[in-house]
Amino acid sequence: AVSYNIVDGLTYKQSIGLSKRFKNYTGLYIDLEGLYAFSRERFMFKASASYDYWPEKQARIYVSGGIKSMDLNNNSGLRTLDNEFTTLLFRKNFINFYENRYVNVSNSFEIINGLKSIIGVEYSSRKQLENTTDYSFFYKNSREFRPNIPLQNPYIAADNSLVANHDATIINVGISYTPQMYFRKYGRAKRSVRSDYPTFSLIWRKGIKNIFNSQSDFDQLEFSIFQDFNLGVMNTFRYSATVGWFPNNNSMHFRDFKHFSIKESELLFSPFTRSFNTLTTYMPSTNKWYINASARYNSPYLLLKYIPLLDRTMIQENLYFSYLTTPYVKNVTEIGYGLTNI
């Protein structure tokens, strides 16, 4: 696969995956990926393996590691394909990259039906990167690319060292509970199916200083609720709400801030649910506290299906709601309307 960004330049990636299901319903999965960044003249790779060792408890151990250039908002940021097109067509780059050397080990386990836990530890060495190319198809003389540092964020504007080289050892502990979870059994293997109740989750992340040269010293607590259910034939409703707090933020890299889904791009190939279209990328990211909520109602019969000819199409109509408040971004609310299955 070939891709492009202004930090790595043109990149070429090859990947391979191996899987093996055993007679006792356990399973082993291995993924290998190699990538070369031509502008940086840098070879990168990722290797991961997971083993489903207790099918009745949906228990899995996961190990991964590698060297990769990654988005500072690697959990909910803009997809690289969207950023690639806006970079080439509109000369606008929305992703800031850093190089990450990391090893991650985690274990997930169902304690009782509907109650799941996950614990993991990660060591990562983050390296600050700079733009190495400025190629685009259009607007070469009228637009300039942003530097590879999110200066639109007030914390970064006050302290650029938050994106400087940094080592981190982080422990993640999480638990989630879905009451009355229905499930299916395939031999020994158990698969969760659905519930009429929401899923409640609690996560604790801790940066531990002086372990493997770690400079991180922080704690993050996050509670969330999520539910997705049907309201009739082809009508669905989904909502989520998250509250988070950093009781300790003594030493952090910007990668470990709480980031949010910002879809600043004019051209999107990814869903824009649970995101914000009027905010600037990375601007609301915080290491203090936050409240984030979203909802989506999906139906084929809101407006367009009552128009002749359109009533025979597969168009789905969507109503969106998103809310966010942080110390620097107060009470941002977005309401939207969109079409899918056009």
Side-chain angles (χ1 to χ4, degrees):
V2 177
S3 60
Y4 173 78
N5 64 72
I6 60 174
V7 173
D8 293 320
L10 187 69
T11 61
Y12 178 73
K13 179 178 72 175
Q14 284 282 14
S15 58
I16 184 173
L18 304 171
S19 64
K20 174 64 176 178
R21 300 292 297 180
F22 301 100
K23 292 182 179 180
N24 61 355
Y25 291 92
T26 61
L28 177 65
Y29 308 90
I30 298 174
D31 291 291
L32 303 173
E33 177 184 295
L35 181 147
Y36 187 76
F38 289 92
S39 184
R40 283 209 297 133
E41 298 182 345
R42 178 66 161 162
F43 174 76
M44 295 174 284
F45 72 94
K46 174 186 175 182
S48 65
S50 61
Y51 179 57
D52 297 338
Y53 62 91
W54 193 351
E56 294 91 342
K57 291 294 186 178
Q58 304 182 63
R60 169 177 290 188
I61 186 168
Y62 177 81
V63 181
S64 67
I67 303 173
K68 292 193 68 177
S69 57
M70 304 176 73
D71 185 354
L72 285 167
N73 179 5
N74 198 49
N75 293 328
S76 60
L78 187 70
R79 291 186 182 180
T80 54
L81 178 63
D82 297 328
N83 189 70
E84 183 178 349
F85 274 89
T86 56
T87 299
L88 291 171
L89 298 179
F90 304 111
R91 200 173 176 83
K92 293 182 179 181
N93 175 65
F94 297 109
I95 295 181
N96 292 139
F97 293 91
Y98 71 103
E99 184 174 275
N100 193 24
R101 301 185 178 193
Y102 68 97
V103 176
N104 177 45
V105 180
S106 65
N107 182 74
S108 58
F109 181 84
E110 185 180 59
I111 302 171
I112 60 174
N113 184 51
L115 181 62
K116 298 181 180 180
S117 67
I118 183 170
I119 183 169
V121 60
E122 177 180 356
Y123 170 75
S124 59
S125 179
R126 292 85 176 257
K127 177 183 177 182
Q128 186 175 1
L129 299 176
E130 297 180 352
N131 296 339
T132 62
T133 181
D134 65 349
Y135 180 79
S136 67
F137 295 151
F138 309 107
Y139 302 103
K140 295 181 179 180
N141 298 321
S142 58
R143 293 178 181 173
E144 293 294 332
F145 284 117
R146 295 174 181 173
N148 190 45
I149 180 172
L151 292 172
Q152 60 271 30
N153 181 274
Y155 300 97
I156 300 295
D159 184 6
N160 289 356
S161 67
L162 289 170
V163 292
N165 296 353
H166 183 100
D167 293 347
T169 299
I170 300 171
I171 291 178
N172 297 274
V173 179
I175 191 167
S176 67
Y177 178 58
T178 308
Q180 296 186 19
M181 174 64 76
Y182 290 87
F183 60 89
R184 292 193 178 99
K185 293 290 291 291
Y186 303 89
R188 289 181 59 204
K190 179 181 179 180
R191 297 289 182 268
S192 299
V193 178
R194 66 175 181 85
S195 173
D196 296 327
Y197 294 89
T199 297
F200 303 91
S201 300
L202 180 64
I203 298 173
W204 171 50
R205 298 178 67 241
K206 181 171 184 61
I208 305 177
K209 197 171 184 179
N210 297 327
I211 296 182
F212 301 115
N213 299 318
S214 173
Q215 300 161 263
S216 289
D217 180 11
F218 71 89
D219 290 271
Q220 179 188 7
L221 295 171
E222 181 177 284
F223 173 77
S224 62
I225 180 174
F226 170 82
Q227 190 173 11
D228 189 354
F229 54 90
N230 294 322
L231 293 176
V233 180
M234 302 182 70
N235 290 269
T236 61
F237 182 72
R238 170 184 295 181
Y239 70 89
S240 65
T242 302
V243 178
W245 174 48
F246 290 85
N248 164 31
N249 59 5
N250 289 334
S251 178
M252 297 184 66
H253 188 269
F254 188 67
R255 168 65 186 88
D256 298 314
F257 278 43
K258 175 62 179 181
H259 300 281
F260 306 95
S261 178
I262 310 296
K263 300 297 176 65
E264 191 182 354
S265 169
E266 301 98 326
L267 181 65
L268 291 174
F269 295 94
S270 57
F272 54 89
T273 56
R274 305 173 69 180
S275 64
F276 296 88
N277 300 91
T278 59
L279 295 176
T280 304
T281 309
Y282 303 110
M283 187 267 287
S285 302
T286 184
N287 68 345
K288 293 186 177 180
W289 57 266
Y290 50 92
I291 301 174
N292 185 205
S294 68
R296 186 194 73 177
Y297 175 62
N298 175 271
S299 173
Y301 295 102
L302 287 176
L303 297 172
L304 295 184
K305 285 298 184 69
Y306 297 101
I307 300 175
L309 299 181
L310 293 179
D311 59 343
R312 300 181 181 181
T313 68
M314 297 296 293
I315 290 177
Q316 293 280 315
E317 299 175 86
N318 303 269
L319 295 178
Y320 303 96
F321 166 83
S322 298
Y323 172 82
L324 176 66
T325 187
T326 73
Y328 278 99
V329 179
K330 300 289 188 178
N331 299 318
V332 175
T333 302
E334 292 188 8
I335 299 175
Y337 170 85
L339 302 176
T340 54
N341 294 343
I342 298 176

